[in-house]
Amino acid sequence: MEQSRKRKILKMVGFMFLLVLLFGIVLVLMISSDERWFAYLILTACIGSLVMLRRTEFWHGWRVPLCWVVALVVAWIGLFAGQPSADIQPYTTAELEQPSASYQLLLNNLTIVDTRTGNLTSNVSILFADGKIIDIAPAGSIKADKDMKIVDATGKYAVPGYLNMHMHLIGEKHTSDTMDLLLANGVTGFRQMSGSAELLKEWRSGAFTSSTDQPALLTMPSDVLTPINAPTPKIAVELVRRQKKEGAGIIKVGGVSPDVFNAVQAEADKLNIPFEGHVLPDMDLKEVAENGFASVEHFGINNGALISTSTDEKTLRAEATGVPSITENPIFVQFMKIKGLRDFVNEQAISLAIKTSGGKKDSAQLQHLIDTYSEEKAIELADVYVENNTWQCLTLVRMHLGLFADGSNSIEQELYDLYLKLAKTFDSEGVKMMVGTDEGGGANWRTAGYSIHQEFDELEKADISPLHVLQMATLNGAEFLGRMDDMGTVEIGKNGDVVLLDENPLESVQNLHKIDAVIRAGAYHSKEELDSIKKNAIVK
């Protein structure tokens, strides 16, 4: 009797253990995947059916494992059925509403810096209204109205608002505070380099563009392409089509296999959407440029540009780390269709990629990169970029951080000096470049506003002229985005986004730091106001 009772208890415990093991996993995946409600009903029905069947005579012999298999299959089908619908209504292109100051602004007696030529136009006045520059004329010739805000800008230099063209800001905890700091440091617009369908929806509804107190989000992707969400060319192409429908301004690649990369490039070309981001070092940057890649970030990634400029390029590329082959395994591909599991694995993969994006720390390999660097090959790479209109967003501050994260030694310094040298070669050969910092609203959000000024300093170390640094921070970003009609220069009809500098930015890169005021969509922000924003950020 006692033995029989113990056997029943053990069977019950075993039964419950299997329920938790098999269906608990499915439940966790469901909870983490934004599934539809009926997936829960299917799971509940499966568990309930097993509990009821166990109390009947049917629960005997070969029927027991059959019941488990059928229940698990049904629950699994329910899990896939519960994934978000792939039926996305195409986004209809529309002009996002731009902000505008509630008053007209008149700046008198300043000098305008022409970012195209470097010419200076002195002793002029600029009139702002409805978020735009509506008049530029000799000082004193624009009739002042009693309702205007009038500012004497004698001795100041007007340049377009700075554009930070590589940021990870939207969706972070301190997004709003970080945007305040960006404006306080002269940034009036930025390119977001990570996103999601949800964030795209917010942006397309007018978020992140409508404030005269914060910079505008200029463009952004949906989910970044990785080996997790884009493991095969077929899946990657479907993802690109979906992101286009969602309203993505760009397709951003974090790192995928060459086959996937090429398939995405072909599809992006068909859909007329820019494909940009990371290029893993196992791919030839020259071929990538020739195939139409829009913008290479961080000199490629993991020392990719230095491999392309090495006299031992073939050997180094063969040794370079690519995408793990497991990501193309059919079983792995099927599991990654489960949104909750895919999102979790993707997050871990991106986190690991960020930590290792400085490349291998193998001293021998780094020294080999340094020893085999060829200025002739660097010029060859630059000329391919120029010929194919392939842009560069160097993010020198990010490169510096990655190289010196564990302290400084001679090899890291030599390697960084090579990046500075390569940046100068790109500039001398006419490669189109823009300023970006790879900063965001995460744990280090307080540095995001200042990082663009750190980038200016690094570009100066690379011996890039003040005019070209100014162009990289203003004109070039506007050209890259195809928005020269409303950004990039201080001219009539352009957006009222202007930075007033205390000294001539063409004389020294350091003068880009000397901000007297920022005008955002015609709204004037004085030096006192900007300093207050910076002080408040320190307190928070």
Side-chain angles (χ1 to χ4, degrees), residues 173 219 222 238 460 536:
K173 182 178 179 181
T219 191
S222 186
E238 291 172 353
E460 184 180 41
N536 288 338

Side-chain angles (χ1 to χ4, degrees), residues 160-465:
Y162 302 151
L163 305 179
N164 191 325
M165 294 297 286
H166 191 125
M167 298 206 77
H168 297 273
L169 172 58
I170 301 304
E172 296 286 349
K173 182 178 179 181
H174 296 284
T175 293
S176 183
D177 292 329
T178 310
M179 290 178 77
D180 291 342
L181 265 180
L182 288 176
L183 190 80
N185 284 278
V187 176
T188 58
F190 64 97
R191 178 179 60 149
Q192 171 78 6
M193 292 301 285
S194 54
S196 66
E198 293 75 18
L199 290 174
L200 278 173
K201 191 176 294 183
E202 284 188 63
W203 175 46
R204 292 303 189 182
S205 67
F208 318 121
T209 61
S210 59
S211 174
T212 59
D213 297 325
Q214 296 180 334
L217 168 56
L218 302 174
T219 191
M220 71 180 296
S222 186
D223 296 303
V224 176
L225 272 59
T226 70
I228 310 304
N229 60 16
T232 67
K234 181 180 179 181
I235 292 175
V237 166
E238 291 172 353
L239 182 58
V240 170
R241 291 170 182 166
R242 188 170 80 239
Q243 292 191 1
K244 173 72 172 179
K245 286 184 179 180
E246 291 169 349
I250 60 177
I251 301 297
K252 163 75 182 292
V253 59
V256 294
S257 68
D259 287 347
V260 170
F261 192 102
N262 293 332
V264 170
Q265 180 70 72
E267 189 63 24
D269 289 344
K270 288 180 186 177
L271 299 175
N272 194 29
I273 183 170
F275 182 39
E276 46 199 70
H278 299 172
V279 183
L280 293 182
D282 62 336
M283 296 190 68
D284 187 340
L285 284 169
K286 294 185 287 296
E287 289 183 8
V288 166
E290 290 167 349
N291 288 336
F293 199 59
S295 173
V296 177
E297 312 294 310
H298 324 299
F299 293 92
I301 198 171
N302 293 0
N303 302 319
L306 296 185
I307 291 176
S308 292
T309 57
S310 169
T311 54
D312 197 16
E313 177 181 0
K314 186 175 181 180
T315 300
L316 287 168
R317 180 158 293 114
E319 295 173 350
T321 303
V323 174
S325 58
I326 189 177
T327 60
E328 297 182 15
N329 183 282
I331 297 176
F332 180 87
V333 170
Q334 289 304 312
F335 270 93
M336 289 306 105
K337 290 182 178 179
I338 304 169
K339 187 178 186 302
L341 182 60
R342 180 179 68 240
D343 290 349
F344 173 78
V345 175
N346 204 38
E347 183 179 344
Q348 305 310 308
I350 291 175
S351 177
L352 178 62
I354 291 173
K355 291 178 181 178
T356 60
S357 62
K360 289 184 178 180
K361 298 299 182 181
D362 186 318
S363 297
Q365 186 185 60
L366 295 182
Q367 190 63 55
H368 189 52
L369 279 171
I370 295 167
D371 294 340
T372 59
Y373 179 82
S374 165
E375 182 63 19
E376 182 180 349
K377 292 205 66 177
I379 292 173
E380 179 185 329
L381 176 63
D383 291 346
V384 171
Y385 285 157
V386 172
E387 182 180 351
N388 293 279
N389 196 36
T390 304
W391 288 70
Q392 302 293 295
C393 193
L394 306 178
T395 65
L396 286 167
V397 288
R398 177 69 179 87
M399 304 300 294
H400 189 280
L401 178 64
L403 283 171
F404 298 110
D406 301 323
S408 174
N409 62 49
S410 60
I411 291 181
E412 272 77 12
Q413 187 60 58
E414 284 186 77
L415 199 68
Y416 186 67
D417 289 344
L418 269 190
Y419 278 118
L420 294 179
K421 183 177 182 179
L422 185 54
K424 176 61 177 177
T425 299
F426 285 169
D427 177 63
S428 299
E429 293 300 306
V431 175
K432 292 182 177 179
M433 299 187 289
M434 45 198 171
V435 168
T437 63
D438 207 14
E439 287 276 334
N444 299 320
W445 66 274
R446 290 178 181 84
T447 66
Y450 302 95
S451 61
I452 193 169
H453 293 276
Q454 295 172 325
E455 187 74 2
F456 294 159
D457 291 341
E458 297 307 310
L459 292 168
E460 184 180 41
K461 290 178 186 177
D463 195 29
I464 295 177
S465 71

